[in-house]
Amino acid sequence: MTVRTRFAPSPTGDLHIGGARTALFCWLYARRNGGSFVLRIEDTDRERSTQASVATILEGLSWLGLDWDEGPIYQSERFDRYREEIRRLLAQGDAYYCYCSRERLEALREAQRARGEKPRYDGRCRSGVGRSERGDAPPVVRFRNPLSREVVVEDAIKGRIAFANAELDDFVIARADGTPTYNFTVVVDDIDLEISHVIRGDDHVNNTPRQINVLRALGGTEPVYAHVPMILAADGRRMSKREGAQGVEAFRDLGYLPDAIVNYLARLGWSHGDQEVFSRDELIGLFDIADVNRAAAVFDFEKLTWLNQHYIQRADAASLRGPLRRELERLALDPAEGPDLATVIEVQRDRARTLVDMAAKSEFAFRDPGAYDEGAAKKHLRPVALEPLLAVRERLAALEAWEAEPLHAAVAETAEALDLKLGRLAQPLRVALTGTAMSPSIEKTLLLAGRARSLARIDAACDHVRRRAALS
RNA sequence: GUCCCCAUCGUCUAGCCAGGUCCAGGACACCACCCUUUCAAGGUGGCGACACGGGUUCGAAUCCCGUUGGGGACGCCA
């Protein structure tokens, strides 16, 4: 069987992190089996679908590196096709016009809830009567769901799930304005696109028996269904906007790398023994939908961050350049006003957990620090630091090459000459250069700050110390 | 409320399908120590779970039933 999977988002928002995982699983399964990955945009709801959302979703998928083989196919461009199939079901007697008013349906549902029943359509128009109620208002079309027996779904992840048809009702497949609804278009499209594996979110499990019934009425072949569990927020509830990031572009803005997100998402609900880190090729080689967990998983930013750091440490410096430049610019820093970004990356990759973090920690290399960190200045820019600072400035100024080794030697020799422990010199120097007590090793800090800036900042720090001495 | 699903460390999970090798393994986080010019990175060690109750069995984290808890669905949204 040729494997054909599809990712079918509705363009009503961004590419949600849960949707991204579903897309990843669809993509991996198709790639693993030499099949095709189809992208379909479910925009039958003309009110809520937006072109901006489509763009965001496509960008998100591309950024993650999830390339699709076919599409995007827009459902909004297939209305004629759906109309054709609706007419067919009507002619076959598998669908019927319903003239019930919204008011009646609402009252019906309310009454059912009050009685402790599951709200569902009562089939009033099923036999073809009741037209008068709506007057001239156009009818909706409902699917004539079987009344007895059950529908069994052999889910590739969850196993066998049975639903009694008696629990299902006759749902609307075409709105009063003639546009088709989700539970119908999905089936027509999956048949037309010859989708072999329907991999989607857990929240669609209950739609599956309805869709299977429609599929049978349409004479289609049943695909394999695989329902991926939800991703929960830290509080155990569904991921929502309140939990912070939920769209993939938000993760990008937080400084996460696509590789880290893909790796994290894959491991969220899927595993391969004790392995935690997987390259894309490894994922493609090992992924199987049958190995996906049945239980929902809580999204853990800490672990994602750990993976992100892992990927930053190992990434090719060239590939980090663009993203880092973007983050520096977001801090209103001019990348041209500092060292080569490759140098920044090499120095900072072990200490940055995200690119945002890396940019923030490198600010001193592109811009003079503002005020000194109060605690750091108080502790290190004291009168006793003046002589060491002046001495090291002299040595640094005399250096021919502003490179890590001579820089380190200059600092070490100064400390030695003054009979100081290295820290006694390095810390005041660090505060002078960065305004804080935390930075890369002192020679790397000097390297990134550059000669002119370093010397000027040491001078400024000496002035600061003198002023402080004068005040006391 | 009704239907559907789920249940191993705080979190992600291995083990479960083919019961014994599991007084339950790995990872993140956390704690301690080591390294160290700061912060990191790295190294070593530690803390920490089979939801509960029955049953089947010589033996259950693993199979069955129930309870509890959690999630999802119940739209002329997708």
Side-chain angles (χ1 to χ4, degrees):
Chain A
M1 171 174 50
T2 307
V3 168
R4 289 175 61 81
T5 63
R6 52 37 163 213
F7 177 55
S10 68
T12 53
D14 46 22
L15 176 57
H16 187 274
I17 194 70
R21 185 179 61 155
T22 303
L24 172 63
F25 285 1
C26 290
W27 180 82
L28 282 174
Y29 194 72
R31 292 289 168 271
R32 169 79 180 97
N33 295 285
S36 297
F37 174 50
V38 183
L39 180 60
R40 183 171 77 218
I41 304 297
E42 310 221 322
D43 56 352
T44 53
D45 186 339
R46 305 310 294 149
E47 300 278 300
R48 293 201 255 178
S49 302
T50 68
Q51 193 51 48
S53 173
V54 172
T56 304
I57 291 168
L58 298 189
E59 278 164 27
L61 290 172
S62 299
W63 182 67
L64 288 172
L66 306 183
D67 55 322
W68 52 95
D69 305 301
E70 290 174 35
I73 291 153
Y74 294 86
Q75 290 192 320
S76 57
E77 292 174 3
R78 289 172 47 78
F79 279 5
D80 288 347
R81 172 70 184 132
Y82 305 133
R83 226 178 310 265
E84 185 181 12
E85 289 300 78
I86 286 169
R87 269 200 297 271
R88 208 178 114 206
L89 289 186
L90 245 12
Q92 286 175 195
D94 285 316
Y96 60 88
Y97 289 109
C98 171
Y99 298 87
C100 294
S101 67
R102 288 177 192 257
E103 293 70 37
R104 184 181 102 75
L105 295 175
E106 225 164 279
L108 174 66
R109 279 193 278 264
E110 203 174 315
Q112 287 166 326
R113 274 186 209 279
R115 266 180 273 133
E117 293 169 16
K118 179 195 289 193
R120 74 248 260 206
Y121 182 60
D122 61 358
R124 170 132 156 191
C125 296
R126 197 175 160 105
S127 54
V129 294
R131 170 160 202 157
S132 58
E133 192 175 309
R134 232 181 204 237
D136 290 333
V140 299
V141 178
R142 286 183 186 274
F143 177 69
R144 191 186 299 275
N145 199 78
L147 296 172
S148 60
R149 311 191 60 176
E150 56 179 26
V151 178
V152 175
V153 182
E154 292 293 345
D155 193 279
I157 294 173
K158 306 226 171 231
R160 186 176 188 277
I161 310 173
F163 298 86
N165 271 322
E167 289 291 332
L168 274 29
D169 65 355
D170 292 345
F171 58 99
V172 173
I173 58 176
R175 303 181 180 94
D177 66 3
T179 58
T181 62
Y182 168 75
N183 275 119
F184 179 72
T185 57
V186 166
V187 180
V188 174
D189 287 341
D190 286 344
I191 292 173
D192 287 356
L193 295 170
E194 298 182 288
I195 298 303
S196 66
H197 293 72
V198 172
I199 300 171
R200 71 212 326 185
D202 219 350
D203 48 338
H204 289 293
V205 177
N206 291 289
N207 289 324
T208 308
R210 301 177 198 282
Q211 293 173 10
I212 289 178
N213 283 329
V214 171
L215 181 105
R216 287 175 181 162
L218 254 21
T221 309
E222 222 178 287
V224 172
Y225 290 95
H227 288 96
V228 181
M230 305 269 88
I231 296 179
L232 273 25
D235 60 0
R237 318 266 324 168
R238 205 170 171 170
M239 276 283 248
S240 71
K241 288 196 172 87
R242 299 209 183 292
E243 312 304 325
Q246 67 157 11
V248 300
E249 68 281 4
F251 284 84
R252 178 189 189 176
D253 287 345
L254 252 17
Y256 291 101
L257 263 26
D259 281 348
I261 292 176
V262 163
N263 193 151
Y264 179 73
L265 252 21
R267 267 296 278 106
L268 194 62
W270 174 85
S271 62
H272 179 71
D274 289 337
Q275 191 171 344
E276 297 287 350
V277 178
F278 297 86
S279 67
R280 276 166 205 263
D281 285 345
E282 279 180 302
L283 287 175
I284 290 170
L286 296 168
F287 184 79
D288 190 344
I289 200 71
D291 296 330
V292 174
N293 236 356
R294 278 174 293 281
V298 174
F299 193 93
D300 184 5
F301 273 92
E302 294 289 350
K303 191 154 184 179
L304 199 218
T305 304
W306 168 75
L307 266 173
N308 201 56
Q309 177 164 47
H310 174 93
Y311 280 98
I312 285 177
Q313 287 173 330
R314 287 161 185 74
D316 179 41
S319 72
L320 257 26
R321 251 193 134 87
L324 175 61
R325 173 183 301 273
R326 178 175 184 267
E327 295 309 326
L328 290 171
E329 283 164 355
R330 292 214 309 154
L331 288 176
L333 296 170
D334 182 356
E337 291 295 307
D340 187 274
L341 293 191
T343 309
V344 178
I345 290 163
E346 286 315 321
V347 170
Q348 300 285 34
R349 70 192 322 161
D350 272 342
R351 56 209 327 111
R353 293 162 80 75
T354 66
L355 290 168
V356 167
D357 192 23
M358 183 182 284
K361 283 176 168 155
S362 305
E363 185 171 350
F364 73 89
F366 300 91
R367 177 159 66 202
D368 285 336
Y372 294 116
D373 173 84
E374 206 177 308
K378 191 173 180 185
K379 186 172 178 187
H380 301 294
L381 295 185
R382 295 189 296 171
V384 290
L386 188 55
E387 190 191 355
L389 283 176
L390 290 169
V392 80
R393 188 206 189 282
E394 196 172 338
R395 273 187 203 264
L396 291 172
L399 243 35
E400 280 184 22
W402 199 260
E403 291 162 4
E405 284 203 16
L407 286 168
H408 180 259
V411 176
E413 284 162 16
T414 304
E416 211 173 313
L418 296 174
D419 197 25
L420 283 174
K421 289 181 70 173
L422 194 50
R424 291 285 189 175
L425 169 58
Q427 282 307 87
L429 187 50
R430 196 183 309 278
V431 177
L433 296 170
T434 70
T436 75
M438 298 171 290
S439 81
S441 64
I442 200 64
E443 66 275 10
K444 296 288 179 57
T445 301
L446 285 162
L447 181 70
L448 290 191
R451 182 193 295 264
R453 281 196 179 119
S454 294
L455 298 180
R457 288 178 198 174
I458 293 170
D459 290 341
C462 288
D463 286 346
H464 177 91
V465 173
R466 290 195 188 94
R467 275 199 303 277
R468 181 172 162 183
L471 283 176
S472 58

